[in-house]
Structure formats: C-alpha cells, structure tokens
Amino acid sequence: VASLYPSWSNAVYRLAIAGLALGAVGAVVGPMVYVRTPYNTSQLVAWDQPVEFDHRHHVRDDGIECLYCHSSAETAPTAGVPTTAVCMGCHLQVWSDSPLLEPVRRSYFSGQPIRWRRVHNLPDFVYFHHGVHVQRGVPCERCHGDVGRMARVVQVAPLTMGWCLDCHRSPETRIAGGTLPGSMWGATVDMVAERPEGQAAVSSLTTCSACHR
Amino acid sequence: MSHPGDPPPELDRREMMTLLGAGLSLAGLGGCMQTPAEGILPRTDQSPEARPGMPVEYATSLVLDGFATGVVCKALDGRPIKIEGNPDHPASLGATSAWQQAAILGLYEPARAGRARARHGLPSVGSLRQILAGRRGLARLWFLSHPDGSPTVARLMERIRERHPSARFVFESPVGRRAVYQGAELCTGRALEAQHRFDLADVWVSLDADFAAAGPGSVRWARDFARRRRLASPTGDPGRLYVAEPRPTATGILADERAAMRAVDVGPAAVALLGAIVRRGRRPPGLDAALADQLARVASPPLHARWVEAAARDLAARPGRGLILAGERQPAWVHAIVHLIGAALGHHGTTATLTAPSLIDPLGLTLADLVTAARAGEVRTLVILDANPVYTAPADLDVAGALARVPETIHLAELEDETSAACGWFLPRAHPLESWGDARALDGTESLIQPLIRPLHGGVTGPELLAAFAGIAAASGRELVRAGQAGPAWSDDLRRGFRPGTASPAVAAPIAPSAALARAIGQAVETARSAGARATALELALAPSEAVHDGRLAHIGWLQELPQPVTKLTWGNAALMSPRTAARLGVATDDLVRLRLAGREIEAPALVQPGTADDSVSIALGYGRGAGGGVGRGIGASGFRLWTTRTGAFAPGLTVESTGEQRPLARTQEVFDEGGREIALAAALARYRADPDFTAEHRGPLPTLLPDLTTGQPQWAMTIDTMICSGCSACVVACQAENNIPLVGRQGVLDHRQMHWLRIDTYQGGSAAAPAFVHQPMLCQHCEKAPCEYVCPTYATSHSPDGLNEMTYNRCIGTRFCSNNCPYKVRRFNWFDYTEDAPALVQLGRNPNVTVRGRGVMEKCTYCVQRIRAAEIEARMEHRAIRPGEVVTACQQACPTGAIQFGALHHEGTEMVAWRRQDRAYAVLHELGTRPRTMYLARITNPAGEGE
C-alpha cells in the first residue's frame, strides 16, 4: 500500500477534503457576498448621459435646490427627471446658444424626449414612493449622497432590501438631522417621529406589502 | 400554435438531462451580469396634469345599443388602464357592468383593424370626403346603425337630409327596445319609455326581464333595487320580487317567487295577471268596459296559477308601490299589457314615470325594410356604422345577399368582421376611449364621450364619417360634439361627463282607446286561452349572452372567460334545458345536440340546468363568430342561425336530437350543492324573524394557539351581503382589470386552472324542480389565523400588522403548500407563463401598480393592497389618519348592488362595520377557527305565504 500511496498523499487528501468543505460553504456564501458587492448593485457606475449635465455647477455654483427641477419628488411616486421645458425655462435666457445644450434644444423644439440613462434602478416588483419619504422628512442626501459634488451622478447607496430595512427598523438613528454634510433639509428625529394619533409607527412599514404588491 | 397547457414535445431522457444541466449552469451565469441601464424619457412640455406615475381621471361615457352609462376612466402616464362608474351620472351612480369594465381590453385588442380597405378607389375618410365634396342630392343613400340617441348624430342627420333629401336611416339592434315602444304606442298612441324607480316599490314583477344584469338601465336599476331590498334588521320589509323566466338569470336568482316559465308562456301569464288585477277591482283608466270584462274572464294558466294569483294580490294590495316590466324580446302586446297593469295600479308617475324615448326615431325603418329596398335595387349607397348585420340579422333575411345588390357599401367598425367582408369599403372605427362623441342615457341625460388617448390605429368615429356626408369639411370629432358651445358650461360638462338637467321630462300619456289596442287585447286574450293547448311544445329561447352580448364583445378575452352567472360556463354557449326535459330527450350535459327550428339547424352542447323551464331550450347569442371575433372566433354556436323574422327570439316547434358526440363544456363550477355542510347560509324571512340569531354558531370567538399578528389601526376587513348579490360578475372583471389577472383559455378552464382572484360560488338549495340559488362571492378571506401562512417554507405569504394576508411573489418558489392548506380554495397558481407572450399592445393596458406574475408563482386576492397603500401614503403625506371610505377595492367599486363593502374595522358608522354586526352575519367555515376578515350576510328570501 505504501508503494501506491506515498506519505504526502495523506496531506493531499486532507487538503482535498478541506477544499470540498470550503467549496460547499463558498458555494452558499459566495453568491450571498457577491450580490452585496457594489459591482452587483451597480453602485458607483458613472453612466455617460446624452447631455453633459453637471450637478456640481447647478447645485453649488448656482444654488438651485433639488426640488426646483425634481419637483414631483415631493408628491409623486417618482422623483422624475425634469421635463425639457424646465431646462429651457432658464436656458432660453442663459447659455441659449451653448453647443452643450444642443440635444436639449433639439428635444424642446421637436417634442422628442431626451433619452437619459437611469442611474437609480429599483426592480419592477418594488414599489417605492418618493413623495412620502420627502414629506416625512427624509433628506435627499440620505439615499442619493452628495449629488452636488458629482460630475456624473452615481448611485451611492446599495438600494438592497436590507439597506431599506435598516432605516425602516430604526429611523430615529438613521435619519437624524445634521448627520450628513451639507444637508439642506435639516431633518430632525422629531420630524420623522411626529405623527397623528391612530397612525401606525414607521417601523410597521417593514411589512412585505409596503413595497411588494 | 403551441399553447400553455400543451404537453411538451417528445424528449428522451438524455436530451432532457443535457438541457436541464445546461439550463442550470446558464441560469447561474445570469446572476453575474450587471443590469444594463434603462432609459428615462421625460416629457418635453410642462403640463400641470401630467405627473409621472400619478393617475389622471377623465369622465366619459360608454354606449351599448344607444344608451350611455357615465364612467370615469383612469389613465396612468397616458395609457387608459381602468374604468369606474361615474358617481354623478344617473345611469351609473358609481357602479359599472362587466362589459364596461372589459372596455379597456377592447381598446388594446391586437386584432383591431389598422387599415382602411376598399375594393375600388382610395381607402380613407379623407378620400371619401374628397369624393363627396360638393355633391348634393345623392339618390338611394341609406345608413344603418345601432340604435343611437346622440344629439350630435341627430344634428348630422338633419344636415345630411338637407344635402341629400332622399337619405334614409335605419337603427337596428338584434334585441332592441322596439317592442317596448310599440307596446306603449298601442296603449297611448305614442312611443314611451317608462323610467323605473326600483327603490320606490314594494313589489316588483319581472316578466322575462333580467333587469339586474342586462338591459339599458341595469346598473342603476340594480343599485336602486338593492337599496330598497337590503334588510337592516329582522323587522325590516324586504319587499317581494316576482320573476317569470325560462332560464335562471341574475334577476331570477334574486327572486322571492320565481316561476320557471317558457318564454311563450310569459305573455299569457301577463294577460292572466292583468285579468286577476281587474277581478280585484282595479281597472286601467280609459280602457273600455267591454275589453276590461274580456280581460277579467282570463283564467290563470294552471301551471303558474299560484304565482300569478300571488303577484296579482301583492300588486293590487300596494297601488303605486309596485313595479312591473317585461323583457325586450317579448312582443309588443305583452308590453301593452304591462303598460295597462301600470296604469291600473297607479305606477305611472311614481315607480314608472313615462317619458319620450331617448333614442332617435325609435319606431323608424327596420333592417327588413332595408333588405327589401336593397333587393329591389333601391339602395345605391349603404353606410353601415358599427353594426354587424351579416352576423346578427335573422337568418332568413340573407343580408349578405342583399349587400351584394348594393353598388356601394361602406362599413365602419372596430374589427374587420363578417359584414366588412361583404362590403366594398371598410373603415376602421376609433374605440370609444379614443373618440369624441355624445349619447343619451336611458333617462335622456346627454352624456359626453371624450378620448383618453389618440387613436392607436388611426380610425374615425361615426359622427366624423357622417360629417363627410353632411358636407362638413374636415371637422374634428371634438368640434362636431361641441357644436359651437364654448366657455365654462362646456368645460364643466366635459369635466362632469354629462349635461345636468337634460333628462327627458315626464309626459302625461293617458290610455287612448283604439282599434289597434282592442285588437292587441283580443289577440292577447286569445293567446292566453289557447296557451294550454300548446303546453308541451318544445320552445327555443334566444337572448344576448350575459358576457359577450350579441357577439360584438366576443373578441374580449375577459368576457369569454367570465363564468356566466348561473351556469358558470366560459368560452362558449350551450343549449340550456331542465333536468326533466333532458331526461325526456335522452341527453345529458356535454352531449352535442342538433337543434332544429323551422328548417334550420345548429349543433351545440347540452347543459342540464336546474331552474330552467320544462320544454324550453335557451341559447345565448353572440357565439359562433366568424371574422372579427378575435379570441372568440369559432367559439360556440350562433343562435342567430335559428332566428328568423317569423320565429323571432323565441318560438315553439324546436326539435332536439343527440348527435352521439360529446363536447366538454369549460365550467368553473360543476358541483352546486353544499355536500351537507352549511357554507352559504339562507333562510326565509319567517324563519329569520322567528330566530334572528340563526347564524350564531357561524360567528364569534374560537380558541386558538396561534399568536396574534395584528397590531394597531387600521385593520382592514370586508363584508358581503349575499341577499343583494345578483351574481352579475362585474366584480370579477373589475378584479381582473385592476390586478392584471391573466387568461388561461378554454383548455385551462377545463384543467381547472382559471386564475380569477374573485369568483362567485353559486349554491343550489330547494328542490330540483324549484331550486333556490345563493351567490357567494369568494375571494381571499384574509384569515387572522391563516392556514396558508404557516405552511409556506419561504415566508412568501405572511401577515401584515393591518390584517392583510400578503403574498410576496418574488419569494414564492411554487410549492403550492399554501393552496393545499387553504380551506376556501382561493389561491391560484401560475402553471405556465400566461403573461410573457402577451402582445405588446395588451401589456399597455396593465396596471403598473400591480406586479405581473410569472410562471411557478402563487397568487390571490390582496384586498387591492395597491389601493390601500396608495391611500395610506396620501394620508401620511398630509400628516393625518386614513378616513372612512378612503379605500375602495376594485370589486366594491364596480358592484352595481353595493353588496361588497370594504373598510377599516375602527371606522364605526361605515356600512362595512354596521353590516358585520347584524344578526345574519356569518363567517364561511367558521368552525375551522381561521377567523376570516371577510364576513357574509345570510340571504333572506320573502316568499309569498299561502293566502297571506
């Protein structure tokens, strides 16, 4: 037998068994880790957009508030990319002949929409309502990061279900005012906790049908 | 074409393993791809109405056979997705019927014609306009249309008559209200419409009239009836409904006293009823004494003497508090008798206000006149607006042959159908949701039709085509309807959907003795006398289908798969007969039988339906469509092939023979008894009064070991009153439209794989000869101790703190344990991907607020959780609690009788809460301890006591 199995074969077999065990664990844990990586959640991907729009200039240089352009974020389910008419409201006056704005002008005068690329993309089986979050005092930056410092907008948060539930389970600690630099909302714990009698607490919205219908 | 449900093609074991392995590894790889960026296409203009993801609602009207019902259509991001009733409109009061709900699917029908077609010349309305420009006095010009009351069409008709003085207009529908108006004309000398007020009556008598689910006012009628009918306590008076009909209909099932009567016997019964009323000393004023005496001598038919006498007694005892109506297919003299009964008992002006009919020219030319003229070469140009006479005309008229004699035929229709094939020109018609137009409701209210979307396939409306003949150059549909009106009145009317105060005024119409009336009464008395002699002749009775009407809705899959209220038959029609008649003929359900009448024959499967009159065979019209039938093409048998001008909608002399073949019927319910259990509770009023707590053992707390999962407020719940549920099934289609419920097809139903979240179970009690039915709308009961929840291995079904049994589709792995553990059998499983291959056009009509389910996923009623959450979000954004009545489920909103009530348990004072505290409330299968949130109210009937 010794001639068939040299002494190092024991080590090989031990390694192989350990490898199999690790592999079995890895087959389960690996995908679980993978789906949480920024690569899988499309975080920090800076897409080229049809218009070279720079949030830094509009937010920081011009001091335009988020809701000036993304006005439906306050009331509607989607924040909405502003209509071409909103862009042209200013740009008929300023930089009205800038070559960078050629696609915007083309859209405005032809009635054909600009095809932007979606950065924050939730799965179709999730129903998220922007309006209710804004109305209840969640600052934009809490989920979107400091867009005012982004040349091209990237997705900062993972937007996974666990990430949603982190806030919904303890909104007091997650959405405290001033925890984020440059919050133009100054949201406080009170704003989130304030609710009329007879209304379910924020935490009750961890129920499945709050988002999945 | 392969179809979900077909067996897979032959595969050997190795090939199968190879494919499985490959599939598995590829499926794994799929997870490693980054999702590509989707596009966002914002609008270019800033419209205050259009906010992304926010629904916009417009009031419009839907028209069937000339009568408008006001609806509110919801559009999301520019796409119409749901139709609701218009609460302010007198014909709707907020409710809808099944076909109105289904209009959405009709809009997105892929088979809708896209292209105009012409045998000669240029095919478009523009070219037609060019041809007609400057031409006047076209000779032998005829128009054929469904009955219509549109003021715009009336105006255009005037213009056309000015320009082409010899133009003729024919308004025709297979089962129209011509006989109703003729009956009134016999009595009063003019065509009249009786505006019925069901809520003001104590006794209702229906002679072959399915008022609760069919007919031009059924939505309003059903609501009025239910409001008067519903019992709030044992001491209440539910009134009494008498129905005589040849087959059980929605109305018949609501009846306290139902007589299964051949359609040919309904007229004699009406005469006997009038006779019995006259004998009780109530004579129609204005009728001469000799005729009244003649009527008083008519004896009741022996078979139905008890029914006739009881109805006469109740009607005579409550003058001015009764209501009687006859079915549209009954001949004019029956309607005249009904008119006389109304006059005798003071119904006119109280429960039946007489007005002028809202239709244009209600007793004008008929299709037979048109065919005669065409044969004689007196028609040079025929314009057919939306009618399909080649399919619906009586078989002996040979409309196709007559059309061949007409040099120029123009057909305007949504789908290229049987008639289009026989016409030289075909023009696509815009769907009502794409059109401008107007119409009048049954009570005369002018209702506006406005588009929610540009025509998907081009297409023009009827008024636009008429305008070309009227010489109105390039008029848009909107301008035609507006007719010079402007300013706030027009925009207010448009917003409201109708012009208030335009209902027809009441007219005084005393009975005018005439030779025609005397002749009609003589004929009626004679028919009643000789009725006994023909007592055993087998009759054929034809009526529009409850689902697809006269076939014009046959292309709508939701209606094809809609279980018909009593038979639960889908995807087709059948020859309905009573058990005794079936035994005599030696046929059973599913046997293919050959029906012969007056030398014509069709083949249809038999369906033995208790409650059908003996010696009567009923066939639903609207099946056996050819071209233009869409998914309904070739399904079922066409009853129109047995309809001749001589025999009409019903006639004795039918022969039935078995072909020896079988054709299985796709029914969603095949067992109608309760198997000795008490599932759908019912009691007679006397028993209920003696023992008001007879449902006590079907409610109340039961011990449980399971934890309480519900906390806080609101707690959602539903209450359904089975006493006023007519089984009309508007809720079933509303649920389907709201919740993106797929169709499974005929084979799917045969395999019991139908997907309806809400079904209407019908239980049959009583005797086989006189069955009593109870409808029980059955949907997820949202049990507090839900058996489905604790068997789910993936936590895909769970309980929300506000009392909903939730279903999270993307967690579901399809073990189907939950369905097996559900005692109510309300969970539905996607055996195939029913939605993946749906045409892109159909996908536009889906509700984006509800997930479209894929294969291998369980689904069920959610109590319209998307509506609950939308209302909650609204309330949260306004920092307030949710208000009573703020959440309305799709089924509740559609229900014409208001039998379904939904709300939060802490909202005291809502009907939902008040009802479930009533003594006749019960929980289905209460003894299992599931604590269902949906509660039912037992059905109470009020049969006439002997000699009461």
Side-chain angles (χ1 to χ4, degrees):
Chain A
V1 179
S3 61
L4 286 173
Y5 294 100
S7 58
W8 49 263
S9 62
N10 280 346
V12 168
Y13 275 89
R14 279 191 195 104
L15 274 175
I17 289 167
L20 274 175
L22 279 175
V25 172
V28 175
V29 175
M32 289 172 73
V33 172
Y34 168 76
V35 296
R36 287 161 172 81
T37 58
Y39 174 76
N40 182 59
T41 55
S42 302
Q43 271 165 274
L44 311 174
V45 180
W47 297 106
D48 284 334
Q49 297 289 359
V51 182
E52 280 187 48
F53 179 85
D54 196 332
H55 270 96
R56 291 178 302 188
H57 168 64
H58 289 84
V59 176
R60 290 161 62 81
D61 302 347
D62 300 339
I64 302 172
E65 295 231 354
C66 307
L67 287 171
Y68 183 80
C69 300
H70 303 279
S71 55
S72 62
E74 243 182 339
T75 49
T78 57
V81 173
T83 61
T84 316
V86 170
C87 304
M88 293 301 276
C90 295
H91 285 294
L92 277 173
Q93 315 294 328
V94 293
W95 298 106
S96 58
D97 51 359
S98 160
L100 287 175
L101 289 165
E102 181 51 31
V104 182
R105 285 193 296 270
R106 202 164 48 231
S107 160
Y108 185 72
F109 291 112
S110 70
Q112 292 298 308
I114 304 171
R115 190 181 185 92
W116 299 91
R117 297 180 89 164
R118 189 182 287 279
V119 176
H120 294 86
N121 190 12
L122 288 176
D124 290 347
F125 51 80
V126 177
Y127 293 89
F128 172 80
H129 198 288
H130 249 105
V132 74
H133 289 84
V134 175
Q135 294 285 344
R136 303 293 285 191
V138 181
C140 305
E141 300 89 331
R142 178 64 190 87
C143 306
H144 293 289
D146 195 354
V147 176
R149 289 177 197 276
M150 294 179 193
R152 286 181 299 179
V153 174
V154 295
Q155 175 191 326
V156 177
L159 302 186
T160 55
M161 184 166 123
W163 174 81
C164 292
L165 286 172
D166 278 350
C167 261
H168 274 258
R169 284 182 176 138
S170 54
E172 301 81 1
T173 56
R174 297 279 170 172
I175 312 174
T179 54
L180 286 153
S183 168
M184 66 179 66
W185 277 77
T188 63
V189 179
D190 286 349
M191 278 176 74
V192 177
E194 182 187 17
R195 57 179 173 268
E197 282 301 305
Q199 202 175 95
V202 174
S203 59
S204 84
L205 287 184
T206 55
T207 191
C208 304
S209 63
C211 309
H212 304 293
R213 297 160 201 165
Chain B
M1 194 187 88
S2 79
H3 194 267
D6 289 349
E10 285 304 312
L11 264 186
D12 67 18
R13 189 182 55 85
R14 287 180 176 211
E15 209 176 334
M16 167 108 172
M17 293 308 284
T18 317
L19 288 177
L20 268 180
L24 206 64
S25 33
L26 287 174
L29 279 179
C32 301
M33 311 293 173
Q34 235 176 8
T35 29
E38 280 182 15
I40 299 183
L41 289 89
R43 294 173 67 99
T44 54
D45 59 332
Q46 187 76 350
S47 153
E49 278 181 356
R51 279 184 296 165
M54 298 292 274
V56 192
E57 291 179 336
Y58 293 94
T60 179
S61 308
L62 293 171
V63 183
L64 189 69
D65 279 338
F67 297 103
T69 307
V71 296
V72 175
C73 187
K74 180 159 76 180
L76 201 54
D77 296 337
R79 291 170 293 128
I81 55 161
K82 186 77 174 60
I83 285 172
E84 306 292 359
N86 181 347
D88 301 327
H89 192 276
S92 160
L93 301 181
T96 45
S97 65
W99 72 265
Q100 286 154 1
Q101 288 290 340
I104 285 285
L105 199 58
L107 171 67
Y108 297 108
E109 167 62 51
R112 264 177 66 201
R115 247 190 222 144
R117 177 183 60 70
R119 210 176 282 150
H120 319 285
L122 302 162
S124 81
V125 179
S127 52
L128 188 67
R129 233 180 247 131
Q130 277 173 13
I131 293 169
L132 290 167
R135 290 185 62 178
R136 288 175 171 276
L138 283 179
R140 294 178 287 158
L141 172 64
W142 286 63
F143 293 86
L144 170 65
S145 161
H146 283 142
D148 204 338
S150 157
T152 300
V153 169
R155 270 196 306 276
L156 288 168
M157 277 171 67
E158 286 310 308
R159 291 285 294 265
I160 290 173
R161 284 205 179 105
E162 278 168 24
R163 211 174 161 83
H164 312 289
S166 66
R168 299 258 191 291
F169 294 86
V170 180
F171 294 98
E172 179 88 17
S173 175
V175 185
R177 290 181 75 73
R178 186 177 288 265
V180 180
Y181 305 137
Q182 281 169 341
E185 194 190 30
L186 279 173
C187 295
T188 64
R190 58 182 291 195
L192 291 171
E193 183 83 68
Q195 307 291 347
H196 294 300
R197 286 296 301 272
F198 283 78
D199 50 337
L200 299 180
D202 298 329
V203 183
W204 307 270
V205 179
S206 155
L207 299 166
D208 192 21
D210 184 9
F211 68 80
S218 67
V219 172
R220 167 74 189 256
W221 290 340
R223 176 145 294 196
D224 283 349
F225 173 75
R227 195 165 42 184
R228 166 67 187 85
R229 173 81 166 167
R230 222 193 74 78
L231 269 186
S233 76
T235 52
D237 168 24
R240 191 168 290 147
L241 172 62
Y242 289 87
V243 178
E245 57 181 11
R247 71 179 170 111
T249 62
T251 308
I253 285 183
L254 285 170
D256 300 302
E257 286 292 340
R258 178 174 178 277
M261 198 183 281
R262 294 184 309 167
V264 292
D265 292 336
V266 169
V271 180
L273 184 61
L274 177 55
I277 288 166
V278 172
R279 279 200 298 279
R280 284 176 161 78
R282 304 213 168 257
R283 287 167 179 251
L287 192 68
D288 56 87
L291 284 174
D293 289 342
Q294 204 183 345
L295 284 165
R297 282 196 297 277
V298 177
S300 297
L303 216 53
H304 307 297
R306 200 190 78 82
W307 185 88
V308 168
E309 288 302 320
R313 187 185 60 222
D314 274 353
L315 280 175
R318 289 181 178 80
R321 298 284 298 172
L323 191 156
I324 178 163
L325 77 171
E328 291 172 341
R329 65 176 166 182
Q330 291 291 332
W333 63 265
V334 177
H335 292 279
I337 297 290
V338 165
H339 196 90
L340 292 176
I341 294 175
L345 294 169
H347 297 172
H348 294 160
T350 54
T351 57
T353 306
L354 299 174
T355 66
S358 59
L359 298 180
I360 301 168
D361 210 3
L363 294 177
L365 295 166
T366 65
L367 185 60
D369 297 331
L370 169 62
V371 168
T372 313
R375 287 242 176 74
E378 288 163 18
V379 184
R380 189 185 142 64
T381 307
L382 173 62
V383 183
I384 304 176
L385 301 169
D386 194 32
N388 185 8
V390 171
Y391 169 73
T392 60
D396 57 340
L397 273 185
D398 187 24
V399 171
L403 286 178
R405 305 280 310 269
V406 180
E408 286 172 1
T409 42
I410 302 169
H411 188 220
L412 176 75
E414 271 173 46
L415 290 108
E416 230 176 310
D417 58 25
E418 294 91 336
T419 302
S420 317
C423 288
W425 291 56
F426 168 77
L427 295 171
R429 175 174 172 263
H431 189 272
L433 297 175
E434 303 166 337
S435 309
W436 285 97
D438 57 7
R440 294 173 74 196
L442 182 69
D443 73 349
T445 300
E446 286 178 21
S447 311
L448 297 168
I449 301 168
Q450 62 172 323
L452 278 99
I453 190 168
R454 283 215 187 122
L456 290 165
H457 311 279
V460 291
T461 63
E464 282 164 1
L465 180 57
L466 289 176
F469 283 89
I472 300 170
S476 72
R478 182 165 178 271
E479 289 311 311
L480 290 173
V481 175
R482 207 165 71 141
Q485 268 199 61
W490 161 257
S491 41
D492 282 355
D493 290 347
L494 204 56
R495 197 175 300 122
R496 204 183 286 120
F498 63 97
R499 300 196 168 106
T502 49
S504 310
V507 293
I511 288 168
S514 68
L517 179 61
R519 242 192 340 267
I521 290 178
Q523 182 198 353
V525 169
E526 195 43 48
T527 316
R529 280 226 184 90
S530 60
R534 295 178 291 108
T536 57
L538 194 60
E539 79 160 9
L540 172 78
L542 300 167
S545 154
E546 284 120 333
V548 302
H549 197 59
D550 63 0
R552 76 185 78 163
L553 307 172
H555 58 282
I556 300 180
W558 289 344
L559 295 175
Q560 286 285 356
E561 199 159 302
L562 178 68
Q564 287 166 33
V566 188
T567 59
K568 307 295 171 194
L569 181 60
T570 64
W571 294 99
N573 58 351
L576 262 60
M577 54 187 84
S578 72
R580 201 186 297 166
T581 304
R584 186 165 67 75
L585 297 168
V587 297
T589 299
D590 292 351
D591 286 356
L592 191 64
V593 293
R594 191 170 295 128
L595 306 155
R596 260 203 206 96
L597 182 73
R600 298 173 190 274
E601 62 173 55
I602 60 168
E603 285 181 4
L607 197 162
V608 180
Q609 175 63 52
T612 310
D614 288 337
D615 304 315
S616 178
V617 174
S618 282
I619 295 244
L621 296 169
Y623 293 92
R625 283 291 309 272
V631 292
R633 186 174 181 157
I635 284 175
S638 173
F640 287 113
R641 285 168 54 199
L642 292 183
W643 180 321
T644 60
T645 41
R646 202 169 47 76
T647 55
F650 57 88
L654 180 76
T655 58
V656 177
E657 62 185 56
S658 180
T659 60
E661 283 175 56
Q662 294 264 308
R663 182 150 323 154
L665 293 167
R667 300 168 79 185
T668 56
Q669 187 184 352
E670 282 161 350
V671 177
F672 291 84
D673 76 329
E674 294 174 285
R677 293 171 298 172
E678 291 186 305
I679 298 167
L681 303 184
L685 184 63
R687 188 192 154 205
Y688 175 45
R689 283 187 176 151
D691 177 17
D693 251 0
F694 74 105
T695 62
E697 59 183 83
H698 298 276
R699 59 181 135 88
L702 281 180
T704 182
L705 294 172
L706 298 165
D708 192 5
L709 299 168
T710 56
T711 51
Q713 286 168 345
Q715 293 294 326
W716 301 106
M718 184 179 275
T719 317
I720 301 174
D721 192 343
T722 62
M723 182 174 177
I724 52 176
C725 171
S726 69
C728 73
S729 303
C731 52
V732 179
V733 186
C735 177
Q736 214 157 3
E738 172 74 19
N739 293 305
N740 303 328
I741 298 172
L743 294 170
V744 297
R746 177 172 179 271
Q747 189 58 46
V749 177
L750 282 170
D751 295 340
H752 305 292
R753 288 171 177 169
Q754 62 269 19
M755 299 298 290
H756 296 136
W757 287 4
L758 164 60
R759 64 174 192 264
I760 300 182
D761 286 341
T762 302
Y763 292 102
Q764 181 192 328
S767 62
F773 296 94
V774 186
H775 286 309
Q776 188 176 57
M778 182 50 68
L779 60 167
C780 178
Q781 303 283 297
H782 292 269
C783 309
E784 285 175 17
K785 313 291 173 202
C788 51
E789 285 167 14
Y790 45 76
V791 293
C792 178
T794 61
Y795 210 64
T797 185
S798 52
H799 218 76
S800 78
D802 50 0
L804 302 178
N805 175 249
E806 307 170 306
M807 186 67 222
T808 312
Y809 307 116
N810 43 317
R811 290 192 85 112
C812 178
I813 57 167
T815 63
R816 312 195 300 283
F817 294 168
C818 55
S819 181
N820 289 333
N821 216 33
C822 172
Y824 305 97
K825 288 286 160 279
V826 290
R827 289 180 158 264
R828 304 296 197 186
F829 186 65
N830 287 277
W831 290 92
F832 299 98
D833 202 328
Y834 297 112
T835 50
E836 193 179 27
D837 299 330
L841 204 55
V842 171
Q843 297 187 21
L844 287 181
R846 295 214 174 109
N847 183 356
N849 289 322
V850 177
T851 307
V852 174
R853 286 77 62 184
R855 184 174 59 180
V857 171
M858 191 60 78
E859 59 183 71
K860 55 142 207 118
C861 161
T862 61
Y863 269 171
C864 284
V865 68
Q866 67 280 5
R867 292 186 176 203
I868 298 177
R869 298 296 177 234
E872 276 177 356
I873 285 169
E874 194 73 29
R876 274 169 191 277
M877 291 207 296
E878 294 169 14
H879 292 266
R880 60 171 172 81
I882 211 149
R883 296 190 192 108
E886 204 172 348
V887 182
V888 178
T889 63
C891 51
Q892 176 190 7
Q893 194 160 8
C895 182
T897 61
I900 302 175
Q901 296 291 336
F902 179 80
L905 285 174
H906 74 280
H907 285 147
E908 306 280 339
T910 58
E911 291 199 314
M912 195 282 293
V913 177
W915 287 13
R916 60 203 288 126
R917 292 193 184 142
Q918 251 182 275
D919 40 21
R920 60 194 173 94
Y922 68 96
V924 176
L925 302 179
H926 170 74
E927 67 277 15
L928 300 180
T930 54
R931 298 198 188 169
R933 272 285 165 87
T934 307
M935 285 195 83
Y936 293 83
L937 297 186
R939 173 168 151 81
I940 307 295
T941 52
N942 184 18
E946 293 302 327
E948 190 183 283

